[in-house]
Amino acid sequence: MKIWIKSGTVVDPVKGTSKKSDVIIERGKVAEILPPGVFKGERGKFREIDASGKLIVPGLVDMHTHLREPGYEYKETVATGGMAGVAGGFTALACMPNTMPPNDCRSVTEFILEQAKRADRCRIYPVAAITVGQKGERLTEFGDLKEAGAVALSDDGWPVTSSELMRRALEYAHYHGMAIISHSEDRSLSEGGAMHEGSVSTRIGLPGIPAASEEIMVYRDICLARLTGCPVHIAHVSTAGSVELIRRAKEEGLSVTAETAPHYFSMDHRAVVGYDTRTKVNPPLRTPEDVEAIKAGLAEGVIDAIATDHAPHSSLEKDLEFERAAFGMIGLETALPLTLELVRGKTLSLPDAIKKLTWNPASILGVPGGSLTIGSVADLAIIDPECEYVLREEDIQSKSKNSPFIGKALKGRNDLTIVGGRIVWERKT
Amino acid sequence: MKKFEHKDLLGMSQLSVADIELILDTAESLKEISSRDIKKVPTLRGKSIVNFFYEPSTRTRTSFEMAAKRLSADTVSLSASTSSMVKGETLIDTARNLQAMNPDIIIIRHSASGAPHLLAQHVEASIINAGDGINEHPTQALLDLFTIREKRGRIEGLKIAIIGDISHSRVARSNIIGFNKMGAEVTVSGPPTMMPVGIGELGVEVVNNPAEAVKGKDVVMMLRIQLERQSQVLFPGLREYATYFGLTEDLLKTAKKDALVMHPGPINRGVEIASSVADGPRSVILDQVANGVAVRMAVLYLLIGGTKA
C-alpha cells in the first residue's frame, strides 16, 4: 500500500530545516516530498494520513537499548522492546550485549537478529561485547561478530578496567570499522554506591557514587583515543566534568563522540528522596548543576546523541530496598517528549533535537537511516508535539514498567511509525 | 490532650518540634513505671508488636521489647537468621505475611536505608524505624534528647559536638536533625574520610580536629567506630584512630566543666572513648540506655495507645 502523508511539518535534521510538506511513500521508499496541495494522488490508491499540526521526522535511532534477550525474557524481549521502540517513535534500536549469555559471539548475535526478524517490528542492530563474557580479560572476535551483524562493541554495564585492553580494543575495532561504546566508570570509586554522592545522599543516608568515578574513566578513554588515533564513543554522560573533558577533547580534534540519556537532562538527584527505586540508575541522577551542564553540552554539540539507555527491570529487581534494587529505568517511550522539552526550553532547535535522536547516532554506529530525503528508505515517525498527557503504566508497551515518569505530565507523543514503508505502530485515539 | 498525628515513626526528619516535645513529655511520665516493683501497666493490653531485626542488636531490641512488655503488649521477635529472609523472601513479601497476622506495630531494623519507608508503604501496621542503614535511628535521637533535657533542663542553646564516623552513622544523622530542630548548636568532627559530602547543608559546623570541636561544649557525643571499616581504607588502624580522634580525659577537660559525655553504644573502650571517660563522672551512657526504655514506651503508646483510646 502506498502512503500519502498530508500537510505535516517535515523535519530534516541534516539540512536543519522544517517545512510543511506532503510525503509520499511507495515501495518502501520516500518517493516524494512536496509542498501541500501539489500532489494529486488517485483516491483509494493511497493510505491517506492527515498530519496537519504534526511533525514528520526520520525514524528515531536509539544507539543504547537493553532488550534483555536472550536470558532475561521476563524483563523484555526483542519483540516487546521493539514494540516499545516503535511506540516511542524509534525505527532502529542498537541493543547492548549484557544478556545471558552475553552477546560475545556469532551465535548470540545471529539469535538476536533471528528474533528481530520474527518480531518484524523495527530494525535491530546488535552491539556485541568487547571482551569475552564481558569479563574484561580478552577480546571477542570483532571480525566474526561484524559479519554476523553486530554494528558496534561495548561491555556496557561493565567498564573495561584494563587500560591496555581498552587501547587494543580501540585499535582493533577501528580496523574493522566498528565503534567502541565505552561505559566509563571507575568501579573502585562507585562500588556499593546507590545514588549520586552529594547533599541529597548525605541527607537521606544512601551510599554515594561520586561524579569522579565517571570522569576519571572518561578522561582515560579520551587519553586512549589520543594515543591510538582511534574513535571512542562515551555512553550515558551524566556529569558537568565529563562534558568539560569531552569538550576539550573535541577542541583538540580527537574522534570522541558522546551520548546522554533523557533522564540526565530531565531529573536530578532530588528525585531519589523517598527511596523510589525507579529513580535508581547508573550513572546516577546528578545535581541540578550537572543537568544544566548536560543541556549546555547538547546545545554546543559536545554531546552528539540522545540515547535512552532503556533498561527494563521487573518487580523482582525493583520492589526491593533501594540499595538492593537494580540500576536502570526504561526510556523508549519517554525519550521523545523529554527531548521535545529541550526544544520548548530553547536549549535545542527542533532539527537539532531530532538530529541527536536520528542522524548523529546513526552516523556514529555507521548504520543507515536518520535522514528524510527523496529516495531514502521510508523509516519515519509522525509526532504530535502539542499532545499533553499523563503517562500511565497501562500505556507502556515495554514488558517492564520501571519508569519514574509514570504519573508525570508529558508533552509530545509519537502517533505513527513507519518502517520500510510499512506502518508498524499507530496510536489508537 | 495533644495528639501524635503520625502512623509511623520513620525518622526525625518527619517530626515537628511539638511532636518531639510530646514524645519527651510522655516519656517523662512513663519513666517512673520502670522503677516500680511491678513494672507493668495495662495500657497496651491486647496489642501485638513485632520486633523485626534484620541486623544484630542488643540494646535497641531489648529496649523495645522491654518497653512493649511494660505496657502489656504482646511481642514477637524475629531476626534475620530466623526469618524467611534466609530463604530468599523479599522484604515486601515478609512484610505482607506479617501484616496478614494483623500486628499493631512492626519495629524494624535493617541494613538498607529506606527499608522502613518501603515497609510503611506496604503494610497497615505502624512502622517504627529502629535503625535503617546509614540513614536514621530516630528513637536513639529521642532518647538522647530526653537524656540531655533531663540532665540540663533544656536543649535549646546548648553546644553539642558529635565526633566519629559521621558518614556511616544513622545515630549522627538523626541527632543532627533532632538537635537542630530543638535549637541546639551542632558541631561535627572526625576524620575527613568519614565526613559526608555536603554535611554542612544539614545545618552543622564541621571541624575536623576533635580538640577544637570539643572546646567549650555542653555535650560531647562520641560515635562507635565500626571495626570492619578498617578494611575499607577509611583509616589506618585503631591505634592511630584512638590517638587522633578518641575522647581522652585530657581532651574532655577543654569542654565545659559540666559537659555530658554520650555514646550510643556499644563502646569500643580505648578506641573512640577512653575507659576512664566512659566510666567517669561526666558519662551519661547508661542513663541513655535507661531512658531508651521510657522513650520507646512513649513512642509505642503515642502510635497505638493514645489516639485509638
Side-chain angles (χ1 to χ4, degrees), chain A residues 138-156:
Chain A
R138 66 195 165 86
L139 298 180
T140 56
E141 297 177 333
F142 293 3
D144 201 39
L145 285 161
K146 187 180 182 183
E147 266 186 41
V151 299
L153 298 153
S154 179
D155 271 0
D156 189 61

Side-chain angles (χ1 to χ4, degrees), chain A residues 202 204-205 275 321 323-324, chain B residues 110-111 113 135 173 197 201:
Chain A
T202 294
I204 68 173
Y275 308 98
E321 301 87 324
E323 286 163 65
R324 294 186 186 161
Chain B
H110 198 287
S111 59
S113 301
N135 181 38
R173 242 174 215 84
V197 172
E201 288 177 38

Side-chain angles (χ1 to χ4, degrees), chain A residues 19-131:
Chain A
K19 250 195 307 216
K20 200 150 204 213
S21 313
D22 282 11
V23 175
I24 317 301
I25 296 167
E26 280 181 29
R27 284 184 292 276
K29 297 213 160 133
V30 176
E32 300 278 6
I33 301 176
L34 303 157
V38 174
F39 185 74
K40 301 274 184 261
E42 200 183 323
R43 287 264 146 162
K45 291 233 165 162
F46 290 86
R47 160 78 202 268
E48 295 177 35
I49 299 164
D50 177 18
S52 48
K54 306 208 173 142
L55 307 174
I56 307 170
V57 304
L60 309 183
V61 178
D62 187 15
M63 67 182 303
H64 195 137
T65 309
H66 297 272
L67 293 180
R68 305 297 189 210
E69 193 175 358
Y72 304 108
E73 290 84 355
Y74 69 99
K75 301 185 188 195
E76 194 82 286
T77 62
V78 173
T80 60
M83 189 56 106
V86 295
F90 290 90
T91 56
L93 308 175
C95 55
M96 286 295 161
N98 56 343
T99 48
M100 182 58 74
N103 182 10
D104 63 358
C105 62
R106 173 183 281 271
S107 59
V108 180
T109 300
E110 285 177 348
F111 170 76
I112 293 167
L113 289 170
E114 196 56 41
Q115 292 300 80
K117 207 179 289 171
R118 279 196 195 109
D120 196 20
R121 198 52 52 183
C122 64
R123 298 176 202 284
I124 301 292
Y125 296 116
V127 176
I130 297 171
T131 65

Side-chain angles (χ1 to χ4, degrees), chain A residues 254 312 402:
Chain A
L254 302 177
N402 52 310

Side-chain angles (χ1 to χ4, degrees), chain A residues 153-339:
Chain A
L153 298 153
S154 179
D155 271 0
D156 189 61
W158 298 92
V160 177
T161 309
S162 158
S163 301
E164 157 70 2
L165 192 64
M166 189 63 164
R167 170 195 181 165
R168 300 309 174 195
L170 290 173
E171 290 168 343
Y172 191 56
H174 191 44
Y175 170 78
H176 284 293
M178 297 171 90
I180 292 267
I181 300 170
S182 174
H183 171 113
S184 305
E185 178 185 359
D186 181 342
R187 300 283 283 210
S188 71
L189 271 174
S190 59
E191 196 73 63
M195 69 173 295
H196 174 69
E197 180 176 315
S199 55
V200 176
S201 67
T202 294
R203 185 150 60 85
I204 68 173
L206 283 173
I209 299 172
S213 72
E214 174 175 317
E215 291 154 5
I216 286 169
M217 286 300 250
V218 167
Y219 190 57
R220 181 204 68 171
D221 293 332
I222 288 169
C223 291
L224 292 176
R226 184 189 295 123
L227 174 68
T228 59
C230 300
V232 66
H233 176 78
I234 310 291
H236 41 59
V237 170
S238 74
T239 79
S242 298
V243 173
E244 185 52 32
L245 290 165
I246 297 162
R247 175 183 289 121
R248 280 192 240 152
K250 287 194 162 183
E251 281 165 6
E252 196 186 322
L254 302 177
S255 349
V256 175
T257 53
E259 77 193 28
T260 190
H263 39 273
Y264 299 120
F265 55 73
S266 308
M267 273 189 164
D268 64 63
H269 61 164
R270 290 171 297 181
V272 183
V273 174
Y275 308 98
D276 181 350
T277 58
R278 294 174 307 177
T279 64
K280 184 175 177 182
V281 63
N282 188 28
L285 299 174
R286 304 287 188 182
T287 68
E289 294 73 34
D290 290 305
V291 170
E292 288 312 308
I294 295 291
K295 286 185 187 172
L298 283 164
E300 292 161 32
V302 174
I303 299 174
D304 305 271
I306 295 170
T308 65
D309 199 2
H310 178 79
H313 286 298
S314 78
S315 60
L316 295 179
E317 293 81 29
K318 283 295 191 183
D319 285 355
L320 294 174
E321 301 87 324
F322 196 90
E323 286 163 65
R324 294 186 186 161
F327 288 101
M329 60 173 82
I330 55 169
L332 286 169
E333 293 162 81
T334 46
L336 183 64
L338 296 174
T339 302

Side-chain angles (χ1 to χ4, degrees), chain B residues 5 26 135 196:
Chain B
E5 302 281 5
T26 309
N135 181 38

Side-chain angles (χ1 to χ4, degrees), chain B residues 284-305:
Chain B
V284 294
I285 294 172
L286 293 177
D287 300 83
Q288 290 173 268
V289 178
N291 291 334
V293 177
V295 163
R296 289 175 177 121
M297 285 167 78
V299 169
L300 296 175
Y301 169 74
L302 289 170
L303 281 176
I304 57 167

